[in-house]
Amino acid sequence: MALRPLVVLVGPTAVGKSEIGLRLARGLDTELLTADSRQVYRGMDIATDKPAMEQRQGVPHRLIDLVDPDEPFNAGQYRTLALQEIERLYGERRVPLIVGGTGLYVRTLIHGLCDAPRADQAFRAALLREAEARGRYFLHEELTRVDPESAARLHPHDEVKLVRALEVYHLSGRRLSEMQQRHGFAEQPFSVLMIGLHRDRPQLYRRIDARVEVMFERGVVEETANLLAQGYQRELGAMKGLGYQQVAGYLSGEYDRAEALRLLQRDTRHFAKRQLTWFRKEPGLQWRSLSEQDSPEDVAGRLLETVQSFLRDLSYRRSVEMPASLTMETGSTS
């Protein structure tokens, strides 16, 4: 199991993962398995920067468009579906390539899940009603009271994770932080090559600002209005994601279009900073610094060399370990 290769490409939003990952997938003759908690939703395309069919250039993109915006989805469900795709690719003798910026999805896939209780929808609904009545900071304040360690690593507006941590404490009487620490995320079903892309902060922030401007040009306002017209209200978890939250405020008359754009640029920069903080804690991650002069083709070419070296090393390790395995098998049949 540990000799099975898994290539993972991560990094903050707007760093260039999608373009580089697409070219790397072509070089490896494989498919692209997305690790993005926002691209799992159908009909949410522009604000999530989901690649259009013509942008995929013949490379299948899996693990996107999995559920409707009002359907629940979590890291455990992602892991189940991702493992199915990985096993299929192994059966086709292809290297699985994970590309995305949702650190929890990547960590859960590689290291497994702690043994926490299942969701309790009635408790969640009651908690959200109480949060609506008592203010947006209620959930974070309540979690700080019962599980300060979990609260310290979660953003006060991250409703989904705050509710989950409070739910775990309510159902089990145990802190989620303690469960995770005890679990240690020590499962090792794969030999993983994890590469992180980063750019210097001014460069990354320029790319973020430009991306948000393109989102508005492509119709993120119209997309948000359409989702609201379908009954997906602002209070829905999926609608609180970057883009939809800020545009919904504009559509409700809270501020003008220019302010919506400014807020989305600001909040996306903050989000990228949190992503970098998360990935810097991942052991074994190999960082690659990108400059303005680096084209996606050149970066993918360099990464392909790194992946090929990684695969050759695994092949050598497998050949060294194989004779002992064959000896055991021969002995058991004689």
Side-chain angles (χ1 to χ4, degrees):
M1 291 282 285
L3 290 179
R4 301 197 306 172
L6 182 67
V7 179
V8 182
L9 184 65
V10 300
T13 186
V15 77
K17 297 183 302 296
S18 298
E19 292 180 275
I20 294 168
L22 171 67
R23 288 159 176 79
L24 181 58
R26 282 213 305 265
L28 291 169
D29 188 25
T30 191
E31 300 177 2
L32 195 152
L33 307 183
T34 304
D36 190 306
S37 62
R38 302 170 67 231
Q39 292 187 3
V40 301
Y41 296 109
R42 304 185 191 102
M44 307 185 90
D45 303 329
I46 298 174
T48 65
D49 201 42
K50 194 180 297 176
M53 291 304 298
E54 61 270 17
Q55 294 175 303
R56 301 178 195 181
Q57 300 179 36
V59 175
H61 286 53
R62 309 296 184 186
L63 304 175
I64 60 177
D65 295 330
L66 301 176
V67 294
D68 291 330
D70 58 351
E71 293 182 77
F73 194 82
N74 57 42
Q77 291 169 279
Y78 173 81
R79 185 174 196 260
T80 298
L81 295 173
L83 289 175
Q84 292 173 2
E85 297 289 355
I86 288 170
E87 290 300 330
R88 177 181 59 79
L89 290 171
Y90 284 148
E92 297 172 3
R93 302 185 66 81
R94 291 196 277 181
V95 179
L97 171 64
I98 307 292
V99 179
T102 301
L104 179 62
Y105 280 16
V106 172
R107 182 179 294 175
T108 299
L109 173 60
I110 295 174
H111 301 296
L113 283 164
C114 64
D115 187 22
R118 292 180 178 272
D120 183 330
Q121 298 300 332
F123 173 77
R124 290 186 176 190
L127 191 61
L128 289 173
R129 286 195 298 270
E130 188 171 4
E132 185 175 358
R134 300 179 63 173
R136 66 188 307 183
Y137 294 103
F138 165 74
L139 294 174
H140 195 263
E141 291 168 353
E142 189 66 9
L143 185 60
T144 300
R145 184 179 66 82
V146 300
D147 186 354
E149 186 174 339
S150 290
R153 62 180 176 77
L154 293 178
H155 192 277
H157 300 165
D158 194 342
E159 183 180 275
V160 173
K161 293 187 179 69
L162 292 170
V163 167
R164 176 55 177 161
L166 286 167
E167 176 185 59
V168 167
Y169 184 80
H170 168 78
L171 295 175
S172 68
R174 297 161 60 197
R175 298 172 177 173
L176 179 61
S177 58
E178 294 175 352
M179 290 184 179
Q180 292 173 335
Q181 186 175 15
R182 187 174 296 112
H183 177 269
F185 297 100
E187 295 182 28
Q188 292 185 332
F190 311 108
S191 285
V192 179
L193 172 64
M194 188 183 301
I195 299 170
L197 303 178
H198 74 94
R199 299 174 185 269
D200 65 63
R201 186 169 298 182
Q203 180 188 161
L204 179 63
Y205 285 2
R206 286 194 298 272
R207 290 173 63 91
I208 287 173
D209 289 349
R211 171 181 285 189
V212 171
E213 290 175 359
V214 170
M215 285 180 182
F216 274 74
E217 292 170 4
R218 289 179 58 201
V220 70
V221 173
E222 292 76 13
E223 179 176 80
T224 305
N226 183 52
L227 289 164
L228 291 168
Q230 292 179 61
Y232 300 124
Q233 298 303 312
R234 293 177 65 180
E235 295 72 27
L236 202 61
M239 291 296 289
K240 292 183 178 180
L242 283 170
Y244 305 108
Q245 180 185 36
Q246 293 80 6
V247 172
Y250 158 60
L251 292 172
S252 66
E254 296 172 23
Y255 38 75
D256 61 19
R257 183 186 177 100
E259 178 64 2
L261 186 147
R262 186 194 71 81
L263 288 173
L264 181 52
Q265 289 174 329
R266 181 201 67 184
D267 293 346
T268 306
R269 292 194 296 267
H270 291 170
F271 175 64
K273 186 176 180 180
R274 293 196 298 274
Q275 287 177 298
L276 284 168
T277 298
W278 176 287
F279 287 125
R280 282 171 180 149
K281 296 178 182 178
E282 288 298 314
L285 190 151
Q286 301 179 24
W287 286 103
R288 297 291 187 273
S289 180
L290 307 183
S291 72
E292 297 279 16
Q293 289 71 42
D294 288 318
S295 70
E297 292 82 3
D298 291 341
V299 176
R302 295 197 296 268
L303 294 184
L304 183 59
E305 293 177 1
T306 299
V307 173
Q308 290 170 337
S309 176
F310 163 73
L311 295 175
R312 285 194 298 269
D313 179 63
L314 277 188
S315 180
Y316 172 76
R317 287 166 54 193
R318 193 178 292 113
S319 68
V320 169
E321 295 182 15
M322 187 63 73
S325 174
L326 289 174
T327 300
M328 291 175 64
E329 291 176 7
T330 304
S332 65
T333 57
S334 60

